């Protein structure tokens, strides 16, 4: 089942996130008070709404309760971001993501209910979309136009088997280079004969065209 996301605010980060989510198959609602920006999103979203995101009544009328994810991409407007997070929280949106422009803003957004706070200098729109659109990936790192790294938990059918049995390089065209040892909190090189446990967070290198294949397994 495809995910639904509302992106509130169409700055550089918001537009990148919305376009990337749409290209990955999500239903995307974009909202901004600038009609020119909304027009630029033609063909890159499911629906577009012109609204004043500083107006609580207009935010409440967006139908956010029907969304899997609400992304508040207004890092330069603390008051609008706070209000939008609060409305999404009241509507019990499962995942609330908010863009931040400072440590203070990050702290405030987390306190009022944002599940994840994004600092665009650390997470670009595509990187955020790869994580938000996936039920598998915990983190995503673009190496170049062809290669990437992802952090993920083992698929259920991998648990209890070792790297030799799984032969992931042949079967999935991926390379597992390390795993997180939760007892020590450090990454370790993986022992090919050691069975995987369900909470073994894996660091994997793969080509970008294999991402969807892994995510759909």
């Amino acid at each position: 089942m495809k995910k639904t996301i509302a992106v509130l605010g169409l700055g550089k980060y918001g537009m990148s996130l919305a376009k990337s989510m749409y290209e990955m198959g999500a239903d995307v609602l974009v909202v901004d008070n600038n009609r020119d920006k909304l027009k630029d999103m033609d063909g890159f979203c499911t629906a577009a709404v012109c609204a004043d995101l500083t107006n609580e009544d207009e935010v409440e009328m967006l139908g956010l309760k029907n969304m899997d994810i609400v992304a508040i991409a207004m890092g330069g407007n603390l008051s609008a971001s706070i209000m939008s997070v609060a409305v999404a929280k009241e509507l019990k949106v499962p995942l609330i993501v908010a863009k931040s422009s400072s440590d203070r803003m990050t702290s405030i957004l987390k306190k009022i209910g944002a599940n994840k706070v994004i600092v665009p200098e650390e997470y670009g729109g595509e990187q955020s979309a790869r994580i938000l659109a996936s039920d598998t990936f915990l983190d995503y790192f673009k190496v170049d136009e062809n290669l990437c790294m992802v952090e993920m938990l083992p698929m259920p059918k991998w648990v209890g088997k070792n790297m030799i049995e799984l032969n992931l390089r042949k079967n999935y065209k991926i390379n597992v280079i390390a795993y997180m040892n939760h007892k020590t909190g450090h990454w370790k090189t993986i022992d090919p004969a050691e069975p995987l446990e369900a909470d073994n967070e894996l660091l994997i290198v793969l080509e970008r065209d294999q991402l969807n294949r892994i995510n759909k397994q």
Side-chain angles (χ1 to χ4, degrees), residues 1-8 18 21 26-31 45-49 59-72 84 87-97 115 132:
M1 185 176 178
K2 65 171 60 177
K3 290 192 177 183
T4 57
I5 179 172
V7 179
L8 311 186
M21 290 292 293
D27 281 327
V28 181
L29 166 67
V30 294
V31 186
C45 65
T46 309
V49 174
V59 174
E60 289 179 343
M61 291 174 63
L62 294 174
L64 300 182
K65 66 180 179 180
N66 300 315
M67 297 291 162
D68 297 316
I69 307 167
V70 170
I72 295 97
S84 297
V87 170
K89 191 72 174 178
E90 289 174 4
L91 295 174
K92 295 181 172 57
V93 174
L95 179 57
I96 303 168
V97 181
N115 302 109
L132 297 177

Side-chain angles (χ1 to χ4, degrees), residues 48-179:
V49 174
C50 186
D52 180 1
L53 294 170
T54 65
N55 186 309
E56 184 174 355
D57 292 334
E58 292 193 33
V59 174
E60 289 179 343
M61 291 174 63
L62 294 174
L64 300 182
K65 66 180 179 180
N66 300 315
M67 297 291 162
D68 297 316
I69 307 167
V70 170
I72 295 97
M74 301 173 288
N77 192 328
L78 179 57
S79 60
S81 296
I82 289 173
M83 189 267 295
S84 297
V85 169
V87 170
K89 191 72 174 178
E90 289 174 4
L91 295 174
K92 295 181 172 57
V93 174
L95 179 57
I96 303 168
V97 181
K99 173 187 170 185
S100 172
S101 59
S102 68
D103 291 342
R104 174 175 171 271
M105 186 173 184
T106 296
S107 177
I108 292 171
L109 293 173
K110 286 182 177 179
K111 285 179 180 177
I112 62 172
N115 302 109
K116 187 175 183 65
V117 177
I118 299 292
V119 180
E121 287 75 14
E122 300 173 1
Y123 283 84
E126 181 187 354
Q127 183 176 5
S128 300
R130 289 287 181 188
I131 300 167
L132 297 177
S134 174
D135 294 319
T136 304
F137 304 141
L138 303 173
D139 212 339
Y140 168 88
F141 311 90
K142 179 179 175 181
V143 177
D144 60 19
E145 293 305 316
N146 182 54
L147 204 65
C148 63
M149 290 193 299
V150 297
E151 292 178 19
M152 63 179 286
L153 293 174
M155 296 180 189
K157 61 185 177 182
W158 296 357
V159 175
K161 298 179 181 178
N162 62 37
M163 291 293 104
I164 299 171
E165 294 172 303
L166 292 169
N167 201 357
L168 298 178
R169 183 177 297 179
K170 177 181 177 182
N171 294 326
Y172 294 90
K173 296 183 180 179
I174 65 176
N175 293 285
V176 180
I177 58 175
Y179 79 100

